[in-house]
Amino acid sequence: MPLVTTTEMFRKAYEGGYAIGAFNVNNMEIIQGITEAAKEENAPLILQVSAGARKYAKHVYLMKLVEAAIEDTGLPIALHLDHGDSFELCRDCIDGGFSSVMIDGSKYSFEENIALTKQVVDYAHAKGIVVEGELGKLAGIEDAVNVSDADAQFTNPAEVEEFVARTGVDSLAIAIGTSHGAYKFKPGQKPQLRFDILEEVQRRLPNFPIVLHGASSVMPEYVEIVNKFGGQMPNAIGVPEDMLRKAATMAVCKINIDSDLRLAMTASIRQHMAEHPDHFDPRQYLKPARENIKAVVKHKLVNVLGCAGKA
Ligand code: G3H
Ligand code: 13P
Ligand code: ZN
């Protein structure tokens, strides 16, 4: 089976009241951990690559690894560019075989965002590729995504119909209180998402797939292991999983998870190194790290996204 687009996945997810997991990938162990979990749970899957990941691993390596995962699992898998920041980057990924791209024009004005997004949509649709746009800004700090708390700006529901109509995007990422990275809420602050905004967006865009970025729950059991074995991640806090589950039953059809995978991998490696100071073969610590990724993804597919058995 070749790579698929997200069109059919999102249609079924919307109707079925679940969401597809979009997991960030950077290397072989991460791809294997995710896809083995999805295979065992028979779940549809989106693997996504950031500009930073593409620079780190090279386009061709990630492409071939994902092709290998499709051959190995037989699952419907979409390969998606995460946070594309220019027409040229989106074009390179489309020409290079991706089945979906995100153009993130959220840092621009409404009109500039529309113009850039439409340019990408025109190019992508001519080649059968789907496009995710973004309206509203997420708080948080990530390599390629820097928006301070003060600049955080929830999506204005009054703008979504015009944005979708004028750009032709296939899905829309919105800002309702999630943020990238492992520090999503201030210490002592009660995690909250603006479900009222999501409801209003859903009302204005019937049957249209919505995307939630910054959706790691920063699983406390892994934070604890990291901190126990020499790491320093005090106050790491994510989005409570019951909120993600609720969003998945609504218009949210794609839930982006990266930090939880980073955390699970780092926790495993820290623990392994501390318990086996004599080990120096990377396979000795990458194997359990890959197992941790698999366990986290299984948990998300079954208990959070609700997409197990839907491939
Ligand atoms: O939203 C961003 C993703 O977590 C990717 O992060 O740019 O460090 O690869 P990255
Ligand atoms: P997290 O940092 O919460 O995993 O979000 C990832 C993301 O939104 C990738 O686009
Ligand atoms: Zn994101």
Side-chain angles (χ1 to χ4, degrees):
M1 186 194 283
L3 279 170
V4 298
T5 71
T6 51
T7 309
E8 193 60 10
M9 283 184 196
F10 287 167
R11 192 187 57 73
K12 288 189 194 159
Y14 202 107
E15 280 172 12
Y18 61 89
I20 313 291
F23 300 97
N24 285 73
V25 299
N26 295 279
N27 66 18
M28 184 186 77
E29 283 76 13
I30 296 174
I31 291 174
Q32 288 179 335
I34 297 167
T35 54
E36 280 171 21
K39 184 180 182 179
E40 285 179 24
E41 296 301 338
N42 193 34
L45 196 58
I46 300 170
L47 297 176
Q48 55 186 15
V49 169
S50 70
R54 201 164 163 267
K55 217 182 249 175
Y56 171 80
K58 285 195 185 172
H59 184 102
V60 66
Y61 283 83
L62 293 171
M63 194 71 215
K64 300 287 177 193
L65 284 167
V66 171
E67 280 169 8
I70 292 170
E71 194 177 320
D72 187 39
T73 62
L75 285 174
I77 296 179
L79 179 57
H80 173 77
L81 169 66
D82 190 27
H83 292 286
D85 62 353
S86 67
F87 170 76
E88 291 73 21
L89 175 59
C90 292
R91 184 195 56 203
D92 288 352
C93 288
I94 292 165
D95 292 348
F98 283 32
S99 60
S100 172
V101 293
M102 173 189 194
I103 177 69
D104 181 358
S106 61
K107 66 175 184 239
Y108 298 115
S109 71
F110 185 64
E111 286 299 327
E112 287 166 334
N113 190 356
I114 287 180
L116 177 61
T117 304
K118 181 167 171 22
Q119 190 187 9
V120 172
V121 168
D122 288 347
Y123 189 82
H125 282 185
K127 301 191 174 227
I129 302 306
V130 290
V131 180
E132 172 185 328
E134 178 165 329
L135 251 191
K137 297 189 180 83
L138 274 73
I141 307 152
E142 203 78 31
D143 282 0
V145 187
N146 285 301
V147 185
S148 75
D149 255 1
D151 286 333
Q153 202 179 285
F154 295 125
T155 302
N156 177 359
E159 292 180 343
V160 296
E161 293 136 296
E162 184 181 348
F163 186 83
V164 169
R166 286 177 59 194
T167 59
V169 281
D170 303 280
S171 61
L172 182 67
I174 62 170
I176 58 167
T178 61
S179 63
H180 293 102
Y183 304 89
K184 300 190 189 296
F185 300 95
K186 294 191 181 74
Q189 185 190 0
K190 194 167 172 279
Q192 259 174 344
L193 297 187
R194 291 288 303 273
F195 281 102
D196 58 323
I197 295 179
L198 176 55
E199 266 165 24
E200 182 59 12
V201 168
Q202 183 166 352
R203 194 185 67 75
R204 288 171 178 263
L205 294 175
N207 295 316
F208 191 82
I210 299 301
V211 179
L212 210 55
H213 282 249
S216 279
S217 46
V218 190
M219 295 168 74
E221 55 266 52
Y222 293 110
V223 175
E224 201 180 311
I225 295 172
V226 166
N227 288 334
K228 182 172 170 196
F229 292 100
Q232 287 191 351
M233 299 186 68
N235 305 320
I237 181 158
V239 184
E241 288 183 339
D242 59 336
M243 293 187 191
L244 298 168
R245 184 74 213 101
K246 179 174 170 182
T249 64
M250 299 170 68
V252 171
C253 292
K254 173 173 180 271
I255 290 194
N256 286 12
I257 298 171
D258 186 0
S259 295
D260 273 326
L261 304 183
R262 296 177 178 194
L263 194 58
M265 192 160 197
T266 300
S268 172
I269 293 172
R270 278 196 177 279
Q271 179 166 3
H272 188 92
M273 290 309 207
E275 291 174 352
H276 305 278
D278 57 321
H279 281 182
F280 71 100
D281 179 342
R283 289 172 297 187
Q284 290 170 312
Y285 54 85
L286 289 178
K287 191 174 175 196
R290 183 173 59 191
E291 283 303 313
N292 259 19
I293 298 258
K294 183 175 171 182
V296 166
V297 172
K298 274 192 162 222
H299 166 69
K300 301 284 180 186
L301 299 174
V302 174
N303 301 315
V304 181
L305 302 157
C307 63
K310 309 288 189 186

